[in-house]
Amino acid sequence: MNVSELIAALPEDDFWSSANAEWAQGRLREILADLAQRPVPVGSLHRLWTVSELSAQIALAYLAGWIRQWFSDAEGSKRRLMETNLRVALKLFHRLGYLRGAMTKLGQAAGNLPLLLPEQVADTLDRLHFDSPPMHYPLIREVVRNEFGKGAEDVFLDFDKEAFAAASLGQVHRARLKSGEPVAVKIQYPGIARTIDADFRNLSALLLPLRLGKDWEYAKAQFEEVRRMLNQEVDYLREAESTRLARELFRPEDGIVVPRVHPEYSGKRVLTTDYIHGLHLPDYLATNPTQASRNDFGTKMYIAWKRMYYAFMPYADPHSGNYLFLSDGRLGLIDFGCVQHYGPEEREIMRLADKMSFEDPSLAREVVRRNCGVSEGDPALHDYLQMMEESRDWMMEPFNRPGPFDFGDEAHFQRGLDWFSRAIRKRTTRSNPMYVYWNRSVFGIKALLFRLRAQVDVQEVIRQERPSMDRSN
């Protein structure tokens, strides 16, 4: 449900009148018009102030809603909470859409985790993956000119100046090559790379107290991994290479489509690929698909995720904006900016963890030693072994159940959130930096399958996709 749909779903009564609904619709139109005209703010202080202001506004909105509940019955309190969630969703959609970059990605990450936020807020934030308000073309046309030395109308046969999709780092336009082929042209927002550095300077200041803790070196390494990956995402030449490598992994019989890159129409800040027509997850679900269709698409999503993982290039940010549900039953896989590429050290850790999970649970101590730097005699060993056991049990639950596993089981997803919360509370967070995005990847794919309510035969997928995990791979 997007913001417009959320407004339409609100009950019309004395509390939520047609006048209030009209106000909300008007406010949404104002937000979209405002964001289309605004360039990305790049100054550290301005971005920090915007985030601080947003935090205060959200806190005040829920405080006011909480106080008003004192004077309402149960039904009235429910409606007031829905109204507060709507107001918060509008504020988040506006301010994160304005900041774009790393801050929008935080909103996207929150929106991709059902059960973590109120449904209205999470659903609205999820739209930031592919439905952020695009900038008007005059604000970004110089990006194309700087890449190619001429305007888009000279580079392409046809170029639609109205973007059909927009997210945290750039927006996508339809075009046709000189040959007549339809393509999707992703253009990076001007100055977006500078916002990453600005946001990380602000975050670095907030992390100063952690420098006195014993886990600082691990926290610092994980922090730098996030910075590295975000900087990788604004390098469209790197994304083009990741897209090419991913495309080589799939065959026509897989029913999984990765678009071709057109290198002569691409550069560091412009990426041109085949145009794939399909529905994003919310729009697919709105068609009320059969369970068989859900299961088929869910299986393809799980196969794609596992195949990239076993190719040592995990799809590190699976979310609803990166999948297209095609009318012929094929799954479109797009956007390869956030892809990890494991080196020798990461591959060794991955092989060890994989063997622990599928073959030899007694390797948990070695995994903890290699991955978390915790060895015999360390007082934290017990907590880390417990954390590892709980993580493995949750990860392996779909594999250990014969036949199709129901990823729509809310209890399964909640157990994962509970495990992660316990790990944070107990501060068992030391790990190789590769696991920052690996954990994001795991929760991302399970969140998608949960929303899809897909049933997937995980044992069969693993049997087909898991290679012999020896050093020859």
Side-chain angles (χ1 to χ4, degrees):
M1 179 183 293
N2 62 24
V3 180
S4 298
E5 292 166 341
L6 173 58
I7 293 168
L10 288 167
E12 186 173 321
D13 56 15
D14 291 340
F15 172 68
W16 185 259
S17 64
S18 59
N20 284 331
E22 185 177 343
W23 166 85
Q25 289 282 11
R27 180 63 185 135
L28 177 59
R29 288 192 293 270
E30 291 173 4
I31 289 172
L32 296 176
D34 177 65
L35 292 177
Q37 301 286 351
R38 284 179 175 254
V40 177
V42 297
S44 296
L45 290 178
H46 183 69
R47 293 179 68 82
L48 180 61
W49 172 259
T50 302
V51 172
S52 301
E53 183 182 45
L54 175 62
S55 299
Q57 289 175 343
I58 292 173
L60 287 173
Y62 279 114
L63 176 61
W66 178 61
I67 293 173
R68 289 163 67 187
Q69 286 182 12
W70 298 350
F71 308 99
S72 304
D73 58 19
E75 186 63 24
S77 294
K78 181 179 179 180
R79 290 171 180 157
R80 291 185 188 280
L81 178 60
M82 194 173 184
E83 183 204 40
T84 300
N85 289 341
L86 171 63
R87 291 180 181 275
V88 168
L90 286 169
K91 287 182 184 295
L92 285 167
F93 192 80
H94 189 189
R95 304 319 289 168
L96 294 180
Y98 167 55
L99 290 170
R100 307 187 192 256
M103 301 315 299
T104 301
K105 283 194 166 292
L106 287 176
Q108 292 172 340
N112 199 36
L113 288 177
L115 311 180
L116 193 62
L117 293 175
E119 180 181 0
Q120 296 87 356
V121 177
D123 286 346
T124 298
L125 291 179
D126 182 61
R127 303 295 295 199
L128 291 170
H129 284 116
F130 55 89
D131 204 15
S132 293
M135 290 183 182
H136 283 326
Y137 184 67
L139 291 173
I140 65 169
R141 62 185 171 192
E142 287 306 309
V143 176
V144 178
R145 187 170 294 277
N146 290 338
E147 288 293 326
F148 302 117
K150 50 188 174 180
E153 62 277 6
D154 297 317
V155 175
F156 299 94
L157 180 63
D158 292 316
F159 184 87
D160 189 348
K161 294 181 180 180
E162 293 292 327
F164 73 88
S168 57
L169 304 178
Q171 61 192 50
V172 190
H173 296 252
R174 290 188 182 92
R176 282 197 300 154
L177 304 181
K178 297 293 186 180
S179 63
E181 293 178 78
V183 291
V185 184
K186 183 160 71 169
I187 304 174
Q188 195 172 115
Y189 298 130
I192 199 68
R194 290 168 57 196
T195 71
I196 294 173
D197 292 333
D199 287 338
F200 272 85
R201 281 195 294 271
N202 291 331
L203 289 171
S204 294
L206 296 176
L207 289 175
L208 278 174
L210 295 180
R211 298 189 180 196
L212 300 177
K214 61 182 179 180
D215 294 337
W216 165 245
E217 290 302 320
Y218 287 94
K220 179 182 177 183
Q222 292 165 5
F223 182 78
E224 289 302 320
E225 176 68 0
V226 176
R227 186 204 297 264
R228 184 188 71 80
M229 288 293 290
L230 284 173
N231 280 313
Q232 174 182 299
E233 287 193 64
V234 294
D235 182 352
Y236 286 1
L237 292 175
R238 180 68 179 266
E239 180 176 348
E241 178 63 10
S242 294
T243 306
R244 184 188 67 80
L245 292 172
R247 182 176 166 84
E248 291 179 353
L249 295 177
F250 301 102
R251 303 173 296 275
E253 58 268 27
D254 294 322
I256 298 168
V257 183
V258 175
R260 286 179 303 159
V261 172
H262 297 273
E264 65 275 25
Y265 292 89
S266 301
K268 190 172 178 63
R269 295 190 295 165
V270 176
L271 178 63
T272 300
T273 65
D274 290 341
Y275 174 74
I276 299 176
H277 180 70
L279 300 177
H280 286 295
L281 178 60
D283 300 315
Y284 167 74
L285 293 176
T287 67
N288 193 28
T290 64
Q291 187 62 53
S293 176
R294 293 167 184 258
N295 296 346
D296 185 58
F297 275 118
T299 299
K300 288 182 173 70
M301 292 168 72
Y302 199 79
I303 287 172
W305 182 67
K306 275 297 182 183
R307 189 167 299 176
M308 290 187 67
Y309 171 65
Y310 283 124
F312 303 113
M313 49 177 296
Y315 204 35
D317 186 22
H319 59 68
S320 58
N322 289 353
Y323 297 89
L324 291 172
F325 297 78
L326 279 59
S327 59
D328 60 6
R330 292 181 299 162
L331 177 74
L333 199 59
I334 59 176
D335 195 341
F336 294 86
C338 191
V339 172
Q340 291 177 288
H341 293 272
Y342 287 167
E345 179 184 1
E346 292 87 1
R347 294 185 182 203
E348 283 299 313
I349 291 175
M350 174 195 146
R351 290 186 182 100
L352 184 64
D354 190 86
K355 188 173 182 179
M356 172 196 72
S357 298
F358 289 100
E359 300 172 19
D360 187 358
S362 70
L363 289 173
R365 287 178 181 267
E366 179 63 14
V367 173
V368 166
R369 184 187 70 81
R370 289 284 304 277
N371 182 44
C372 310
V374 180
S375 55
E376 297 294 337
D378 191 316
L381 178 61
H382 173 76
D383 287 341
Y384 273 89
L385 286 174
Q386 184 178 36
M387 177 272 294
M388 186 65 64
E389 180 180 354
E390 292 176 354
S391 170
R392 185 187 65 232
D393 289 348
W394 181 65
M395 282 290 300
M396 296 299 293
E397 188 176 334
F399 177 80
N400 290 332
R401 291 189 189 177
F405 179 81
D406 184 6
F407 281 96
D409 178 9
E410 183 174 316
H412 171 70
F413 194 80
Q414 186 64 56
R415 280 193 291 274
L417 293 177
D418 292 344
W419 159 75
F420 191 72
S421 297
R422 284 193 299 274
I424 297 297
R425 288 198 306 271
K426 297 175 74 171
R427 298 185 180 180
T428 49
T429 55
R430 297 185 220 167
S431 69
N432 186 286
M434 65 184 275
Y435 276 98
V436 174
Y437 278 87
W438 168 240
N439 286 328
R440 181 178 179 179
S441 179
V442 169
F443 278 99
I445 190 66
K446 289 201 176 190
L448 288 170
L449 295 174
F450 171 75
R451 293 172 60 193
L452 189 58
R453 299 295 193 266
Q455 299 167 5
V456 178
D457 191 335
V458 173
Q459 283 190 2
E460 179 61 20
V461 173
I462 296 298
R463 185 188 68 77
Q464 293 180 8
E465 299 299 326
R466 183 174 182 256
S468 173
M469 299 302 290
D470 58 30
R471 293 180 183 270
S472 63
N473 290 305

